Amino acid sequence: MIEIAGTRYSLEDPMVMAALIGAGVVLLILVLLFLALRAANRSARMAEPLAQQLAYLGQHVQQLGQGQEQLRGGLQHVSDTQANAQVQVIQTVEARLSAVQQHMNDRLADNAMKSARALAEMQERMKETLHGSSKQTATSLTQLQERLAAIDKAQDNITKLSGDVLSLQDILSNKQTRGAFGEIQLNDIVSKALPSDSYVLQATLSNGRRADCLIRLPNPPGPIVIDSKFPLEAYEALVGAGNDMELKAAVQMFRSTVRKHITNISTKYILDGETADGALMFLPSEAVYAELHAKFPELVQESFSKRVWIVSPTTCMATLNTMRAILKDARMREQAGAIRKELGMLHKDVERLGDRVANLDRHFGQAAKDISEIKISAEKAGRRAQRLDNFDFEELAPEDRANVVPLGKSEG
């Protein structure tokens, strides 16, 4: 029996039981709703960082796409610029050749006009003076021959210049000759920066590998190798790519080729106990050096990790000047012991010289004393000889009379 607001309800009444069951169901539903709301709130809080990360990842993907588009645009701009530059060079060469040809035609026409004018004048003046007309004609013909010879010489120079350009292209298109060109450039830089006894060209290491140049640095760091055999084919393919597919393939080839070259230098030319803890990779072109640092920084970082330092002609000269200072300092330290030894010997020589100077001073003092006594004796002997020569003892001065000594006695 339950009493609510003065009304009693029996628990056995079905309506009461149904009402209680309905109230329990409603209460259970409210509790479940409350728990569901809490779980949803917790799930929302847990999903919020994930949503932020997804948004951050989406921004990065968008930035990466923008960077790729910018890179594509920059490469397209470089390709267009190179194509325009080649077109401009061709147009400039054609314009210069046209100008030279036009100039030659003008000169020939001018010479023809002058010759015709000279011939006309010669015909007019033939009646007046045949000899003078013949002389003027000969002079005009001589000048014409000289100008034709100058034109032929200019044509020969143009032909020779074309041959030189073709030979240079042949050198740069051949792998072996291009490698020799890089070695010659490296040899020229090294010979200007370092003394001849501080490096060896084509040095053979203990592992049988031959280095293009070995700088004899003192320990530490020890001898360091410079390699000049950089593969330019990959760079030429990268520069000459005509579309996106070729460019992608060229970038992949350039990256793999340079990475392999760095690994070869690290394994071949860095030997424990024999060489320095690093080696130099010489690039014979500033353009390749700039392209590598601007577009492939991961390769530069990888070379650092493998202790391979990439240098261009400019940075190689600066590095060699630093090595020259190291060599100079090392040689000064090597000579420090010999200098100290020479200084010790010099100190002993100075002490011995001081003793001998003191002895010489004593000898000079004794000699001066002896010379003074000899001088006194000579003066006395001179006075005696003078008195004996005069035999005039009466006119001697009183002090001389006191000093007169009878014959047979000496003054001492």
Side-chain angles (χ1 to χ4, degrees), residues 5 72 121 160 187 204 212 221 242 248 258 321 347:
R72 183 179 302 170
E121 291 179 356
K160 183 179 178 181
N187 297 346
T204 303
D212 294 329
K248 185 177 180 180
V258 174
N321 285 328
H347 180 69

Side-chain angles (χ1 to χ4, degrees), residues 275-317:
T275 64
D277 191 20
L280 297 180
M281 184 175 74
F282 176 74
L283 303 181
S285 173
E286 298 289 346
V288 180
Y289 182 81
E291 182 76 13
L292 187 62
H293 281 74
K295 303 295 180 58
F296 302 91
E298 73 279 3
L299 294 178
V300 179
Q301 294 297 328
E302 185 173 347
S303 69
F304 290 163
S305 64
K306 293 186 178 180
R307 297 166 297 174
V308 176
W309 321 119
I310 303 173
V311 294
S312 65
T314 303
T315 57
C316 183
M317 179 62 74

Side-chain angles (χ1 to χ4, degrees), residues 136-165:
Q136 289 180 358
T137 303
T139 303
S140 299
L141 291 175
T142 303
Q143 292 177 355
L144 180 60
Q145 290 177 356
E146 292 176 354
R147 289 173 182 174
L148 290 174
I151 292 172
D152 292 337
K153 186 176 180 181
Q155 184 66 32
D156 293 337
N157 291 331
I158 293 173
T159 305
K160 183 179 178 181
L161 181 60
S162 300
D164 293 339
V165 172

Side-chain angles (χ1 to χ4, degrees), residues 48-72:
E48 183 177 354
L50 181 59
Q52 291 178 357
Q53 292 181 0
L54 289 175
Y56 183 71
L57 182 60
Q59 292 178 0
H60 273 278
V61 171
Q62 185 178 1
Q63 291 178 0
L64 182 61
Q66 293 176 358
Q68 187 175 4
E69 290 297 329
Q70 292 178 359
L71 178 61
R72 183 179 302 170

Side-chain angles (χ1 to χ4, degrees), residues 4-23:
I4 299 175
T7 304
R8 294 182 177 183
Y9 300 95
S10 177
L11 295 176
E12 296 177 357
D13 189 358
M15 297 297 293
V16 174
M17 291 296 293
L20 290 175
I21 290 172

Side-chain angles (χ1 to χ4, degrees), residues 200-211 214 274:
V200 180
L201 301 176
Q202 299 299 322
T204 303
L205 304 179
S206 62
N207 58 0
R209 302 294 182 180
R210 178 171 293 180
L214 180 68
E274 183 177 354

Side-chain angles (χ1 to χ4, degrees), residues 63 130-131 146 150 176 181 186 223-224 235 242 256 274 287 295 309 330 340 352 360 394 398 401 405:
Q63 291 178 0
L130 181 61
H131 180 70
E146 292 176 354
Q176 295 181 351
F181 178 74
L186 175 63
I224 186 168
Y235 175 74
S256 62
E274 183 177 354
K295 303 295 180 58
W309 321 119
R340 284 195 295 269
R352 191 179 298 111
L360 183 61
E394 270 40 57
R401 291 178 182 177
V405 178

